[in-house]
Amino acid sequence: MKNKNIIQYLQDYGSFIALIFLVVVISIISPDFRTVNNFLSLLRQSAINGLIAFGMTCIILTGGIDLSVGSVLALTSIICAHTIKIGLPAPLSMLIALIFGIILGTISGLMVTKSRLQPFIATLITMTGYRGLTMILSGGRPISRLGDNFLLNQIGKGSLIGIPIPVWILIIFFAIFLFVLKKTVLGRQIYATGSNSKAAELAGINTNNIKLIVYAVSGFMASLSGLILVSRLGSAQPTLGSGYELDAIAAVALGGTSMTGGRGKITGTLIGILIIAVLNNGLNIIGVSSYYQDVVKALVIFLAVISDRNR
């Protein structure tokens, strides 16, 4: 019985233990890793993947997946930059980008619910289409010289009481997602939809509406991440967001959310985000080649998925 309790404990808190282990080991290997500036930089870098991963968590909880988030990020970034260049105020352009993020996410949701396509296929289609629209709108070139607007500059490069603004945004949305998933009817309906869609429908839950909501939320989170990137880079590039969907899915898997839906926690996703950020940052500081970094990340994700299957 005691051994069973230990195994259960390791399964429940394995990702957190892994995060602590990684931080300790890399700190011992490289003193540069454990500096305050490096930790702040690590958190700033993790904010973009984190925001996308929060939206991805909700989708995976319903039993779906969203491959289009990287393309949504790129397209809404270009839309923001393009509207600024034609003379619209930067705050209005940012709002338009966020609205388009919701619309693009909803289109993916409609393809899943109304067209009854598998989420993988539906979002593969939108991923490809949105990336093509990004190239058409931008002409395949970056859009730079976006002016010196305070809000646009601060969202990606500013800080408050020494903590980067992107980190504050990550904390705020973590609190929102935590509250919604744990304390609201919508949160319970999201879990129910992923756990057993047929039973949820018999209980009176409109599962199609729930899926539309989570895909719209995912589009919004991707577009918000895009605005942070535009602020940091000072330009919008058509190649932005490439591969970001994979890092988001990896963070969700590392956090213990079941890839078949119905089980998982946003706190686990946050830990998964930090594990990926620590791996990327630590391996860069140690001087490990990016090729080997991809292999290490693949192994970590593989272990996380195997652990989920065992649970």
Side-chain angles (χ1 to χ4, degrees):
M1 186 70 176
K2 188 175 180 181
N3 289 337
K4 185 177 180 180
N5 289 337
I6 293 172
I7 292 170
Q8 184 66 43
Y9 182 85
L10 289 174
Q11 288 178 341
D12 291 342
Y13 299 99
S15 57
F16 181 71
I17 295 169
L19 174 61
I20 299 300
F21 176 77
L22 279 173
V23 170
V24 170
V25 169
I26 297 174
S27 295
I28 293 171
I29 295 173
S30 174
D32 292 335
F33 176 79
R34 56 178 184 260
T35 63
V36 173
N37 286 338
N38 184 60
F39 277 121
L40 289 175
S41 175
L42 183 154
L43 290 172
R44 184 190 291 111
Q45 292 167 7
S46 67
I48 293 168
N49 184 36
L51 293 170
I52 297 173
F54 289 161
M56 187 71 74
T57 301
C58 292
I59 288 179
I60 291 177
L61 283 173
T62 64
I65 201 164
D66 189 356
L67 301 179
S68 70
V69 286
S71 297
V72 171
L73 183 155
L75 180 52
T76 53
S77 298
I78 290 295
I79 288 170
C80 177
H82 190 69
T83 51
I84 289 174
K85 294 294 282 187
I86 63 175
L88 290 183
L92 179 58
S93 296
M94 294 166 70
L95 178 61
I96 290 171
L98 293 173
I99 292 171
F100 264 96
I102 295 171
I103 293 170
L104 296 173
T106 302
I107 291 171
S108 294
L110 287 170
M111 294 184 70
V112 171
T113 56
K114 300 301 182 183
S115 300
R116 299 188 179 279
L117 294 175
Q118 289 291 331
F120 181 90
I121 299 299
T123 57
L124 179 63
I125 292 168
T126 53
M127 176 186 75
T128 307
Y130 295 162
R131 185 64 68 177
L133 288 173
T134 302
M135 292 297 177
I136 292 169
L137 191 59
S138 66
R141 297 184 297 273
I143 301 176
S144 55
R145 298 180 182 178
L146 302 179
D148 192 29
N149 179 265
F150 177 80
L151 180 61
L152 183 60
N153 286 334
Q154 288 296 307
I155 193 173
K157 294 183 288 190
S159 62
L160 180 64
I161 60 172
I163 299 175
I165 295 295
V167 178
W168 283 113
I169 295 173
L170 182 70
I171 293 170
I172 290 168
F173 276 96
F174 170 73
I176 292 171
F177 276 83
L178 182 65
F179 175 78
V180 170
L181 289 175
K182 289 190 70 173
K183 301 294 185 181
T184 68
V185 173
L186 174 61
R188 290 192 290 273
Q189 290 178 340
I190 288 172
Y191 280 101
T193 299
S195 181
N196 191 323
S197 182
K198 294 294 183 184
E201 289 172 3
L202 291 173
I205 297 172
N206 189 326
T207 56
N208 281 347
N209 282 351
I210 297 300
K211 291 175 183 178
L212 281 175
I213 289 170
V214 296
Y215 277 97
V217 168
S218 180
F220 174 85
M221 299 305 288
S223 61
L224 179 59
S225 297
L227 293 179
I228 294 173
L229 268 177
V230 169
S231 174
R232 283 180 56 187
L233 299 173
S235 66
Q237 302 178 16
T239 55
L240 281 179
S242 180
Y244 280 30
E245 61 280 346
L246 302 181
D247 277 346
I249 294 168
V252 177
L254 285 170
T257 296
S258 173
M259 301 307 289
T260 57
R263 191 183 76 248
K265 297 178 181 178
I266 202 71
T267 49
T269 296
L270 181 62
I271 292 170
I273 293 158
L274 294 175
I275 288 175
I276 291 176
V278 168
L279 275 174
N280 288 337
N281 182 272
L283 293 175
N284 279 330
I285 288 176
I286 295 171
V288 176
S289 165
S290 60
Y291 305 131
Y292 290 102
Q293 290 181 35
D294 289 339
V295 173
V296 171
K297 283 165 60 177
L299 288 173
V300 170
I301 295 164
F302 172 74
L303 292 173
V305 173
I306 291 297
S307 175
D308 173 63
R309 287 188 63 184
N310 290 336
R311 281 200 301 272

